[in-house]
Amino acid sequence: MQRIDTLSSGYKIIQDDKAFCFGIDALLLAAFVRMKKGDQVFDLGCGNGILELLLCDRAKDLKSAHGAADCHFTGLEVQAKAAEMARESVRLNSLERQIEIVEGDIKTVRESFPAQRADLVISNPPYMKPSAAKENSTDEKTIARHEVLCSLDDVIAATRWLLKSGGAFYMIHRPYRLSEIFSSLEKYRLTPRRMQLVYPKIDQAPEMVLIESRPNYKPDLKIAPPLIMYGGDGEYTLEFKDFVRAKNKPYNC
């Protein structure tokens, strides 16, 4: 069932308990991204448009430099239902000038968009490879979570096509796939520049990794301090709240 939730920014987002709800990973990725005024931002696999809303809110605080225009956000989503929900959220917040949602396939960006159109490319892609049972599934959650319709390599290939020479790619993923991530980034001449591991608790293994990459840079990877989400009391740590600026209540569904 669809519902409308309100972010602390005042923006409203349409969500669906059975298919499209954002989680903590969206908050983390939005906080990790570094934008400047006038950036053209492209989101590969935008789901219900949560990253567009989070970053559009952040962009309001960016200082103007040399008369730069506002940031513009393009979200690409292959699932028609998710894309329409994202468009409805954009209309609900009167953000049509800043945000465009396009229904389309990551694997065909070369046919749909010109090369080097984006200052920033962001992605919260499917984390898991499809099992035999999931390979032919059309369930919305399966498509969002498993590489049924696109692979990690597809995401990075599309990023390389879209990204300007001085741009940056921001992605959140699972640490157990880091070797594949680094291999694919190298294949498409994207150099990891900044990385941060996210731990559920201080005594547990990391569950997520945030990575910033840039095209054709010399290797010089900076490892940010580990980010611990929950303290011993089961509440979010002050460090985590500061990281995401405590601006948006995470919905987990």
mmCIF file of all heavy atoms in Angstrom, residues 170-192:
data_model
loop_
_atom_site.group_PDB
_atom_site.id
_atom_site.type_symbol
_atom_site.label_atom_id
_atom_site.label_comp_id
_atom_site.label_asym_id
_atom_site.label_seq_id
_atom_site.Cartn_x
_atom_site.Cartn_y
_atom_site.Cartn_z
ATOM 1 N N TYR A 170 29.796 8.489 -6.955
ATOM 2 C CA TYR A 170 29.564 8.106 -5.565
ATOM 3 C C TYR A 170 28.642 6.882 -5.524
ATOM 4 O O TYR A 170 27.576 6.892 -6.135
ATOM 5 C CB TYR A 170 28.904 9.255 -4.798
ATOM 6 C CG TYR A 170 29.781 10.483 -4.682
ATOM 7 C CD1 TYR A 170 29.711 11.498 -5.631
ATOM 8 C CD2 TYR A 170 30.673 10.623 -3.621
ATOM 9 C CE1 TYR A 170 30.510 12.625 -5.525
ATOM 10 C CE2 TYR A 170 31.473 11.751 -3.507
ATOM 11 C CZ TYR A 170 31.389 12.745 -4.465
ATOM 12 O OH TYR A 170 32.187 13.859 -4.352
ATOM 13 N N MET A 171 29.076 5.882 -4.769
ATOM 14 C CA MET A 171 28.300 4.652 -4.698
ATOM 15 C C MET A 171 28.351 4.073 -3.288
ATOM 16 O O MET A 171 29.337 4.219 -2.569
ATOM 17 C CB MET A 171 28.865 3.614 -5.683
ATOM 18 C CG MET A 171 28.133 2.277 -5.682
ATOM 19 S SD MET A 171 28.716 1.132 -6.980
ATOM 20 C CE MET A 171 30.409 0.851 -6.448
ATOM 21 N N ILE A 172 27.254 3.426 -2.884
ATOM 22 C CA ILE A 172 27.240 2.638 -1.661
ATOM 23 C C ILE A 172 27.042 1.183 -2.057
ATOM 24 O O ILE A 172 26.285 0.870 -2.974
ATOM 25 C CB ILE A 172 26.137 3.118 -0.691
ATOM 26 C CG1 ILE A 172 26.252 2.401 0.656
ATOM 27 C CG2 ILE A 172 24.739 2.973 -1.286
ATOM 28 C CD1 ILE A 172 25.443 3.036 1.778
ATOM 29 N N HIS A 173 27.743 0.282 -1.371
ATOM 30 C CA HIS A 173 27.655 -1.134 -1.731
ATOM 31 C C HIS A 173 28.012 -1.973 -0.508
ATOM 32 O O HIS A 173 28.123 -1.453 0.606
ATOM 33 C CB HIS A 173 28.576 -1.448 -2.920
ATOM 34 C CG HIS A 173 27.992 -2.442 -3.875
ATOM 35 N ND1 HIS A 173 27.842 -3.775 -3.563
ATOM 36 C CD2 HIS A 173 27.515 -2.302 -5.146
ATOM 37 C CE1 HIS A 173 27.298 -4.414 -4.595
ATOM 38 N NE2 HIS A 173 27.078 -3.538 -5.566
ATOM 39 N N ARG A 174 28.214 -3.254 -0.715
ATOM 40 C CA ARG A 174 28.576 -4.179 0.356
ATOM 41 C C ARG A 174 30.080 -4.435 0.348
ATOM 42 O O ARG A 174 30.679 -4.648 -0.722
ATOM 43 C CB ARG A 174 27.844 -5.506 0.196
ATOM 44 C CG ARG A 174 26.326 -5.414 0.282
ATOM 45 C CD ARG A 174 25.865 -4.913 1.627
ATOM 46 N NE ARG A 174 24.423 -5.079 1.803
ATOM 47 C CZ ARG A 174 23.705 -4.453 2.706
ATOM 48 N NH1 ARG A 174 24.288 -3.579 3.522
ATOM 49 N NH2 ARG A 174 22.408 -4.669 2.816
ATOM 50 N N PRO A 175 30.730 -4.446 1.521
ATOM 51 C CA PRO A 175 32.180 -4.636 1.576
ATOM 52 C C PRO A 175 32.662 -5.955 0.982
ATOM 53 O O PRO A 175 33.772 -6.018 0.443
ATOM 54 C CB PRO A 175 32.482 -4.575 3.084
ATOM 55 C CG PRO A 175 31.385 -3.740 3.646
ATOM 56 C CD PRO A 175 30.172 -4.094 2.846
ATOM 57 N N TYR A 176 31.843 -7.008 1.051
ATOM 58 C CA TYR A 176 32.309 -8.303 0.550
ATOM 59 C C TYR A 176 32.501 -8.301 -0.967
ATOM 60 O O TYR A 176 33.132 -9.212 -1.519
ATOM 61 C CB TYR A 176 31.365 -9.429 0.976
ATOM 62 C CG TYR A 176 30.050 -9.521 0.250
ATOM 63 C CD1 TYR A 176 29.918 -10.276 -0.922
ATOM 64 C CD2 TYR A 176 28.918 -8.866 0.723
ATOM 65 C CE1 TYR A 176 28.706 -10.373 -1.589
ATOM 66 C CE2 TYR A 176 27.704 -8.959 0.064
ATOM 67 C CZ TYR A 176 27.599 -9.708 -1.087
ATOM 68 O OH TYR A 176 26.398 -9.796 -1.739
ATOM 69 N N ARG A 177 32.029 -7.247 -1.638
ATOM 70 C CA ARG A 177 32.198 -7.165 -3.085
ATOM 71 C C ARG A 177 33.252 -6.121 -3.491
ATOM 72 O O ARG A 177 33.329 -5.727 -4.663
ATOM 73 C CB ARG A 177 30.857 -6.860 -3.753
ATOM 74 C CG ARG A 177 29.834 -7.967 -3.506
ATOM 75 C CD ARG A 177 28.635 -7.873 -4.397
ATOM 76 N NE ARG A 177 28.987 -8.083 -5.788
ATOM 77 C CZ ARG A 177 28.118 -7.993 -6.790
ATOM 78 N NH1 ARG A 177 26.852 -7.706 -6.527
ATOM 79 N NH2 ARG A 177 28.506 -8.193 -8.032
ATOM 80 N N LEU A 178 34.076 -5.719 -2.527
ATOM 81 C CA LEU A 178 35.061 -4.674 -2.815
ATOM 82 C C LEU A 178 36.033 -5.063 -3.922
ATOM 83 O O LEU A 178 36.406 -4.227 -4.744
ATOM 84 C CB LEU A 178 35.827 -4.308 -1.541
ATOM 85 C CG LEU A 178 35.249 -3.153 -0.720
ATOM 86 C CD1 LEU A 178 35.980 -3.012 0.603
ATOM 87 C CD2 LEU A 178 35.299 -1.851 -1.500
ATOM 88 N N SER A 179 36.459 -6.313 -3.949
ATOM 89 C CA SER A 179 37.415 -6.720 -4.991
ATOM 90 C C SER A 179 36.794 -6.559 -6.377
ATOM 91 O O SER A 179 37.455 -6.092 -7.315
ATOM 92 C CB SER A 179 37.883 -8.158 -4.769
ATOM 93 O OG SER A 179 36.796 -9.062 -4.843
ATOM 94 N N GLU A 180 35.520 -6.919 -6.525
ATOM 95 C CA GLU A 180 34.823 -6.734 -7.806
ATOM 96 C C GLU A 180 34.654 -5.258 -8.126
ATOM 97 O O GLU A 180 34.798 -4.845 -9.287
ATOM 98 C CB GLU A 180 33.452 -7.392 -7.757
ATOM 99 C CG GLU A 180 33.434 -8.892 -7.601
ATOM 100 C CD GLU A 180 32.009 -9.378 -7.397
ATOM 101 O OE1 GLU A 180 31.238 -9.370 -8.380
ATOM 102 O OE2 GLU A 180 31.664 -9.748 -6.258
ATOM 103 N N ILE A 181 34.327 -4.468 -7.110
ATOM 104 C CA ILE A 181 34.138 -3.032 -7.315
ATOM 105 C C ILE A 181 35.427 -2.396 -7.825
ATOM 106 O O ILE A 181 35.428 -1.665 -8.829
ATOM 107 C CB ILE A 181 33.680 -2.350 -6.013
ATOM 108 C CG1 ILE A 181 32.265 -2.813 -5.647
ATOM 109 C CG2 ILE A 181 33.721 -0.828 -6.152
ATOM 110 C CD1 ILE A 181 31.825 -2.416 -4.247
ATOM 111 N N PHE A 182 36.533 -2.676 -7.163
ATOM 112 C CA PHE A 182 37.812 -2.096 -7.575
ATOM 113 C C PHE A 182 38.208 -2.570 -8.972
ATOM 114 O O PHE A 182 38.731 -1.790 -9.773
ATOM 115 C CB PHE A 182 38.906 -2.451 -6.569
ATOM 116 C CG PHE A 182 38.815 -1.695 -5.272
ATOM 117 C CD1 PHE A 182 39.212 -2.284 -4.088
ATOM 118 C CD2 PHE A 182 38.333 -0.405 -5.229
ATOM 119 C CE1 PHE A 182 39.120 -1.601 -2.887
ATOM 120 C CE2 PHE A 182 38.241 0.295 -4.036
ATOM 121 C CZ PHE A 182 38.639 -0.313 -2.861
ATOM 122 N N SER A 183 37.951 -3.836 -9.268
ATOM 123 C CA SER A 183 38.296 -4.379 -10.585
ATOM 124 C C SER A 183 37.496 -3.685 -11.682
ATOM 125 O O SER A 183 38.040 -3.315 -12.733
ATOM 126 C CB SER A 183 38.036 -5.894 -10.607
ATOM 127 O OG SER A 183 38.298 -6.427 -11.884
ATOM 128 N N SER A 184 36.200 -3.483 -11.453
ATOM 129 C CA SER A 184 35.361 -2.839 -12.455
ATOM 130 C C SER A 184 35.707 -1.360 -12.603
ATOM 131 O O SER A 184 35.725 -0.818 -13.722
ATOM 132 C CB SER A 184 33.881 -3.010 -12.087
ATOM 133 O OG SER A 184 33.040 -2.580 -13.134
ATOM 134 N N LEU A 185 35.979 -0.685 -11.491
ATOM 135 C CA LEU A 185 36.394 0.720 -11.570
ATOM 136 C C LEU A 185 37.673 0.859 -12.399
ATOM 137 O O LEU A 185 37.780 1.758 -13.243
ATOM 138 C CB LEU A 185 36.615 1.277 -10.163
ATOM 139 C CG LEU A 185 35.369 1.512 -9.308
ATOM 140 C CD1 LEU A 185 35.763 1.868 -7.879
ATOM 141 C CD2 LEU A 185 34.479 2.603 -9.898
ATOM 142 N N GLU A 186 38.628 -0.021 -12.172
ATOM 143 C CA GLU A 186 39.877 0.023 -12.944
ATOM 144 C C GLU A 186 39.617 -0.231 -14.424
ATOM 145 O O GLU A 186 40.200 0.425 -15.293
ATOM 146 C CB GLU A 186 40.861 -1.007 -12.390
ATOM 147 C CG GLU A 186 42.200 -0.993 -13.105
ATOM 148 C CD GLU A 186 43.186 -1.978 -12.515
ATOM 149 O OE1 GLU A 186 42.773 -2.827 -11.707
ATOM 150 O OE2 GLU A 186 44.374 -1.912 -12.887
ATOM 151 N N LYS A 187 38.726 -1.172 -14.717
ATOM 152 C CA LYS A 187 38.384 -1.509 -16.104
ATOM 153 C C LYS A 187 37.894 -0.275 -16.861
ATOM 154 O O LYS A 187 38.215 -0.101 -18.048
ATOM 155 C CB LYS A 187 37.309 -2.598 -16.105
ATOM 156 C CG LYS A 187 36.773 -2.986 -17.462
ATOM 157 C CD LYS A 187 35.703 -4.066 -17.307
ATOM 158 C CE LYS A 187 35.040 -4.415 -18.626
ATOM 159 N NZ LYS A 187 33.986 -5.447 -18.461
ATOM 160 N N TYR A 188 37.131 0.579 -16.183
ATOM 161 C CA TYR A 188 36.565 1.765 -16.831
ATOM 162 C C TYR A 188 37.314 3.047 -16.464
ATOM 163 O O TYR A 188 36.778 4.149 -16.612
ATOM 164 C CB TYR A 188 35.078 1.879 -16.487
ATOM 165 C CG TYR A 188 34.269 0.750 -17.095
ATOM 166 C CD1 TYR A 188 33.878 -0.338 -16.319
ATOM 167 C CD2 TYR A 188 33.961 0.751 -18.452
ATOM 168 C CE1 TYR A 188 33.168 -1.389 -16.883
ATOM 169 C CE2 TYR A 188 33.260 -0.297 -19.017
ATOM 170 C CZ TYR A 188 32.859 -1.366 -18.232
ATOM 171 O OH TYR A 188 32.157 -2.411 -18.799
ATOM 172 N N ARG A 189 38.541 2.896 -16.005
ATOM 173 C CA ARG A 189 39.448 4.020 -15.736
ATOM 174 C C ARG A 189 38.855 5.017 -14.749
ATOM 175 O O ARG A 189 38.928 6.235 -14.921
ATOM 176 C CB ARG A 189 39.853 4.720 -17.046
ATOM 177 C CG ARG A 189 40.494 3.806 -18.057
ATOM 178 C CD ARG A 189 41.025 4.531 -19.267
ATOM 179 N NE ARG A 189 40.040 5.411 -19.878
ATOM 180 C CZ ARG A 189 39.045 4.996 -20.664
ATOM 181 N NH1 ARG A 189 38.903 3.706 -20.921
ATOM 182 N NH2 ARG A 189 38.197 5.857 -21.192
ATOM 183 N N LEU A 190 38.251 4.473 -13.699
ATOM 184 C CA LEU A 190 37.761 5.275 -12.585
ATOM 185 C C LEU A 190 38.603 4.933 -11.355
ATOM 186 O O LEU A 190 38.714 3.766 -10.986
ATOM 187 C CB LEU A 190 36.288 4.997 -12.310
ATOM 188 C CG LEU A 190 35.301 5.527 -13.357
ATOM 189 C CD1 LEU A 190 33.945 4.859 -13.194
ATOM 190 C CD2 LEU A 190 35.169 7.038 -13.259
ATOM 191 N N THR A 191 39.184 5.938 -10.748
ATOM 192 C CA THR A 191 40.109 5.722 -9.640
ATOM 193 C C THR A 191 39.434 5.981 -8.301
ATOM 194 O O THR A 191 38.918 7.094 -8.082
ATOM 195 C CB THR A 191 41.328 6.664 -9.764
ATOM 196 O OG1 THR A 191 41.916 6.505 -11.056
ATOM 197 C CG2 THR A 191 42.358 6.350 -8.680
ATOM 198 N N PRO A 192 39.415 4.998 -7.398
ATOM 199 C CA PRO A 192 38.870 5.247 -6.048
ATOM 200 C C PRO A 192 39.693 6.322 -5.341
ATOM 201 O O PRO A 192 40.919 6.222 -5.267
ATOM 202 C CB PRO A 192 39.007 3.895 -5.345
ATOM 203 C CG PRO A 192 39.147 2.891 -6.443
ATOM 204 C CD PRO A 192 39.858 3.596 -7.552
#
